[in-house]
Amino acid sequence: MVLAELPRPAVVFSERSFFVENREEFSQEELLARHRRSLETILAEQNPVTGLFPAAVFPHVDLKARMHDAWVRDNAVLADALGNPYSQSIAGINQNQKELINSGKKAAEKWLHSQTAFFAEDVNLFKQRIAVLRDDAGKRFRCLTSAAPPIHSQTDGQEYEWPEPNQPDSFGFYLIALAGALEQGMKLSMDEQITVGNMVSFLSRADLCHLQQTSMWEWGKVYDPPPISSIALVTHGLHLISPFMIDSTWKQIKETVHKGQRFVREKYPYEYTCPEGHYGKTDLATLVAMGHGAMDYVDPQIYFTASDTERRIGDDPGGIRYIGDHYYRGSESLDIKVKEARWLLDELYRANIGIDIGIDQAKRGNLTDAKIFQAMGHQFLRRATNIFDKYGYAVELLYYNDEGKLVPNINHLLWNEAMIVNVTAKSLYLSDLADRLSLK
């Protein structure tokens, strides 16, 4: 994650007090153990034939919500974590994990090859015409003229029709994971290159800033404005994949990326992605995009300040997706002033961003600041792992039940496991980097 010059570390995260008052850092041994456990959990769930992963795993999985199925978005996050280059540095710290880390890299490539083949089956969907329409107010917007390319299937590869399929951020996630694998030596066949080229062309000409689409969380068609997180993820994916594309496409990709980044800068941090459920200014989707390096050109402090003022559960100062959550609004029959869900991805992505900034500070020679950000990242990670340890699985979220109590939902989310892999690997790398730099 390459960051522009940021404010002093004291103000990048709006919650500085926890670092001074309640410092809960992880030992090297615990980081290695959690990295191994999460990596093993993810690998055990990969379909041996298709290479696809479920979103959540048995026995903690909501079957009614199809959480045992595979989403391109979730699978790309898993593949990105399995191929995390920071994990490679762990072999120098603990040789016992080298084989497991290499298995993760192979699993990531297996998914990427399989997913590319699935995209190739519906290649005409990437070639479809984009229609220009007017809404009731006379505002022009763009929409697809046929079904959206598939972003959801069963783990055995069988199709599953999803009611809100047009989520371009899924392709952004895919391109981010693919670019990372290609950078580490993965090779694509000529047919695979053509398929990726068709996707890139589709994303470049769709004019996402005015395209009717659904957000990362699936609900509600929007186009005015579309989700800034989707725009950021797609443009970031296009930017990363561009060196692997033929020269004739570079100009179009560059223009699309420039337009998307300008859109994000103008709208940030306001993300009204879900008309029927999201009534706040910020959304966890924005934090996810920042955590994958898709918004390195904006100041994260602006998001943290805005989100922390509008999101609360009791005395807990963070970790809530947004007010008026569309999935878990609480019981209408109870007098609960705050009806919202606490998504553990929030803590994990804040931890990831903190460690990223710490690595950046270390590379700049600011070792004291690097340690501060590492400690901040550990604190957020501890908040998540305390809950995981309490309930015995990587809980997706906590929500208010009909009795007004904050309880976990049933999903053991593999996305959470992927973020533990990322955060622990980066933190181990940061400690090693800081040690080497301090000896110079």
Side-chain angles (χ1 to χ4, degrees):
M1 182 172 177
V2 181
L3 294 162
E5 287 291 342
L6 296 173
R8 289 290 300 166
V11 297
V12 172
F13 283 84
S14 55
E15 301 175 34
R16 178 65 187 272
S17 61
F18 74 79
F19 167 66
V20 177
E21 298 170 2
N22 189 24
R23 195 164 164 171
E24 291 188 80
E25 295 195 58
F26 290 78
S27 67
Q28 182 184 88
E29 291 71 23
E30 185 177 0
L31 289 173
L32 285 167
R34 289 189 180 275
H35 182 273
R36 170 181 282 277
R37 186 159 64 240
S38 290
L39 200 52
E40 288 176 337
T41 299
I42 295 171
L43 290 175
E45 296 299 329
Q46 185 173 34
N47 186 296
V49 177
T50 65
L52 300 180
F53 299 90
V57 302
F58 291 103
H60 301 286
V61 56
D62 186 344
L63 295 175
K64 185 178 180 181
R66 309 294 300 191
M67 289 297 290
H68 61 302
D69 286 343
W71 274 264
V72 172
R73 171 198 63 202
D74 295 56
N75 276 232
V77 172
L78 296 175
D80 195 46
L82 292 173
N84 189 331
Y86 290 103
S87 291
Q88 302 297 320
S89 66
I90 293 177
I93 302 171
N94 188 333
Q95 281 289 326
N96 295 329
Q97 294 196 192
K98 184 175 182 179
E99 184 177 346
L100 180 64
I101 291 167
N102 288 336
S103 295
K105 184 177 178 182
K106 292 177 182 177
E109 292 185 2
K110 181 180 179 65
W111 175 75
L112 285 163
H113 285 302
S114 296
Q115 190 61 60
T116 306
F118 288 139
F119 287 145
E121 295 175 4
D122 296 281
V123 68
N124 287 330
L125 296 181
F126 287 117
K127 296 180 178 180
Q128 66 178 281
R129 183 174 64 85
I130 311 295
V132 179
L133 305 176
R134 290 184 183 273
D135 60 20
D136 293 341
K139 185 175 180 62
R140 292 162 65 91
F141 67 97
R142 298 166 70 84
C143 69
L144 303 183
T145 54
S146 62
I151 49 88
H152 178 205
S153 69
Q154 298 177 38
T155 53
D156 62 2
Q158 296 299 309
E159 292 184 11
Y160 179 81
E161 187 173 350
W162 191 245
E164 300 287 355
N166 188 22
Q167 295 173 243
D169 55 76
S170 295
F171 306 119
F173 276 121
Y174 164 81
L175 291 176
I176 290 169
L178 178 61
L182 292 174
E183 198 168 280
Q184 294 185 65
M186 176 182 167
K187 304 296 183 184
L188 294 179
S189 68
M190 183 58 68
D191 287 342
E192 289 176 324
Q193 292 178 45
I194 293 172
T195 299
V196 175
N198 286 328
M199 176 190 291
V200 169
S201 176
F202 167 75
L203 295 171
S204 296
R205 64 185 174 82
D207 190 7
L208 296 182
C209 298
H210 301 94
L211 182 71
Q212 185 183 67
Q213 57 193 269
T214 50
S215 76
M216 193 183 303
W217 313 126
E218 293 109 19
W219 306 108
K221 294 181 180 180
V222 294
Y223 59 85
D224 183 28
I228 63 171
S229 55
S230 294
I231 306 300
L233 284 160
V234 170
T235 52
H236 187 53
L238 289 172
H239 170 69
L240 293 179
I241 204 68
S242 60
F244 304 99
M245 305 300 296
I246 58 175
D247 296 2
S248 61
T249 64
W250 288 355
K251 182 179 179 181
Q252 186 179 32
I253 293 173
K254 185 177 180 180
E255 290 176 352
T256 302
V257 171
H258 177 74
K259 184 176 182 180
Q261 290 184 348
R262 183 177 62 191
F263 175 88
V264 171
R265 285 192 180 97
E266 291 174 351
K267 302 297 181 183
Y268 175 75
Y270 301 95
E271 174 122 43
Y272 294 93
T273 65
C274 191
E276 296 181 4
H278 176 205
Y279 301 110
K281 297 177 182 178
T282 61
D283 191 281
L284 177 56
T286 312
L287 185 63
V288 169
M290 288 194 292
H292 287 281
M295 299 174 67
D296 287 352
Y297 46 89
V298 300
D299 181 356
Q301 169 66 14
I302 296 173
Y303 172 85
F304 294 132
T305 300
S307 65
D308 286 348
T309 57
E310 72 173 13
R311 306 180 311 154
R312 288 288 185 272
I313 279 186
D315 296 327
D316 193 326
I320 305 159
R321 176 174 152 191
Y322 53 73
I323 293 174
D325 191 291
H326 193 72
Y327 294 165
Y328 292 87
R329 297 190 185 194
S331 173
E332 297 295 337
S333 62
L334 295 174
D335 183 21
I336 302 175
K337 293 182 179 179
V338 183
K339 299 174 181 176
E340 50 203 16
R342 176 182 176 184
W343 291 64
L344 278 303
L345 279 176
D346 190 291
E347 276 94 345
L348 292 171
Y349 271 93
R350 290 181 185 229
N352 190 62
I353 291 172
I355 302 298
D356 275 338
I357 298 175
I359 292 172
D360 182 70
Q361 291 293 327
K363 290 180 177 179
R364 295 170 185 265
N366 304 324
L367 297 186
T368 300
D369 290 348
K371 286 293 185 180
I372 289 174
F373 279 108
Q374 184 177 39
M376 287 180 172
H378 282 196
Q379 183 71 15
F380 285 113
L381 179 60
R382 184 67 74 182
R383 287 183 182 177
T385 57
N386 281 348
I387 292 175
F388 299 158
D389 294 346
K390 177 180 178 180
Y391 295 107
Y393 62 100
V395 176
E396 180 184 15
L397 55 82
L398 302 173
Y399 70 101
Y400 283 112
N401 64 10
D402 289 339
E403 297 176 354
K405 295 180 179 179
L406 199 60
V407 297
N409 76 341
I410 197 173
N411 291 324
H412 178 159
L413 201 66
L414 282 189
W415 197 334
N416 285 344
E417 300 284 11
M419 292 310 299
I420 290 176
V421 170
N422 284 334
V423 175
T424 54
K426 290 177 179 180
S427 185
L428 287 163
Y429 168 82
L430 174 54
S431 293
D432 182 62
L433 175 63
D435 288 344
R436 286 187 280 112
L437 291 174
S438 64
L439 293 175
K440 289 185 176 182

